Amino acid sequence: MVTNIRTRLLGQDVSFPVEESRLAYWLVVMRLIVGWWFLHAGLDKFLAWPFDASWFVGGAAAQTTLGPILVLFSDGILLSFTNVMVPLGQTLIGLGLIVGALTRLAAFFGAFLMTFFYFVNGETGGWSHGVVTGDLLGLLIFAMIATLGAGRVLGLDAYLARTEFVKEHPRLRHFIG
């Protein structure tokens, strides 16, 4: 089925056809690629255990815009928490995207992590060739996955949305998709 998109762009009426099956397959491909990217990043950190984020939260981040927040996590119990949560979070985000379960929630936390990576990496030299970096593109892909409900296409979210539990608790629909 082909859907005609009609909108206004920069004051101009714009219309273009979108074949839904192509968009659906594209969403699945993007979800799987980004899921593998994060699953791989998380598992790499677990396989090279112990993971130490102090170089990032205490070192690289200290002189950046986000430094006052991230430096709080540079030692003690908050560093220990960060050392576990970064690889665990990346692994769970990757798994969630690959199987299409709680996709919006996974994409939200992926975008959350990418925001930190974008600003810290950018302000420490990553923006030397411009502000469009791989971290920014990752953040935008997470936003696309969450916005377009990529988990409902060949993912467990399509099943979860039909369960009685989700029907009885409609606010849960905000986490799946």
Side-chain angles (χ1 to χ4, degrees):
M1 181 173 158
V2 176
T3 301
N4 277 325
I5 305 294
R6 290 188 178 92
T7 188
R8 291 187 59 79
L9 181 66
L10 301 174
Q12 299 280 332
D13 287 329
V14 177
S15 176
F16 57 93
V18 174
E19 187 175 333
E20 291 174 9
S21 63
R22 288 185 184 163
L23 177 60
Y25 287 124
W26 178 248
L27 287 174
V28 171
V29 167
M30 294 307 296
R31 196 185 80 219
L32 292 174
I33 289 171
V34 174
W36 173 251
W37 175 33
F38 260 60
L39 177 64
H40 186 266
L43 291 178
D44 275 354
K45 288 173 181 66
F46 277 124
L47 293 174
W49 197 259
F51 173 68
D52 183 17
S54 63
W55 67 271
F56 187 81
V57 294
Q63 302 304 316
T64 66
T65 305
L66 299 175
I69 297 167
L70 293 177
V71 169
L72 296 173
F73 293 85
S74 65
D75 60 7
I77 191 77
L78 291 178
L79 178 60
S80 298
F81 174 78
T82 303
N83 288 340
V84 172
M85 290 309 296
V86 168
L88 182 62
Q90 287 179 323
T91 302
L92 292 175
I93 290 166
L95 285 173
L97 292 178
I98 288 171
V99 300
L102 302 175
T103 306
R104 282 197 176 119
L105 185 64
F108 169 80
F109 282 110
F112 180 76
L113 282 176
M114 292 308 296
T115 300
F116 287 107
F117 299 157
Y118 176 69
F119 283 103
V120 172
N121 291 336
E123 291 182 30
T124 57
W127 293 341
S128 60
H129 298 290
V131 295
V132 178
T133 64
D135 295 328
L136 177 63
L137 295 177
L139 191 147
L140 293 174
I141 292 171
F142 276 119
M144 177 193 70
I145 288 169
T147 303
L148 297 176
R152 294 177 191 248
V153 182
L154 297 176
L156 293 178
D157 282 345
Y159 167 76
L160 293 173
R162 294 189 306 265
T163 63
E164 286 300 318
F165 187 75
V166 172
K167 289 178 184 175
E168 291 172 8
H169 302 89
R171 290 185 183 194
L172 292 176
R173 290 180 289 143
H174 298 292
F175 297 109
I176 61 176

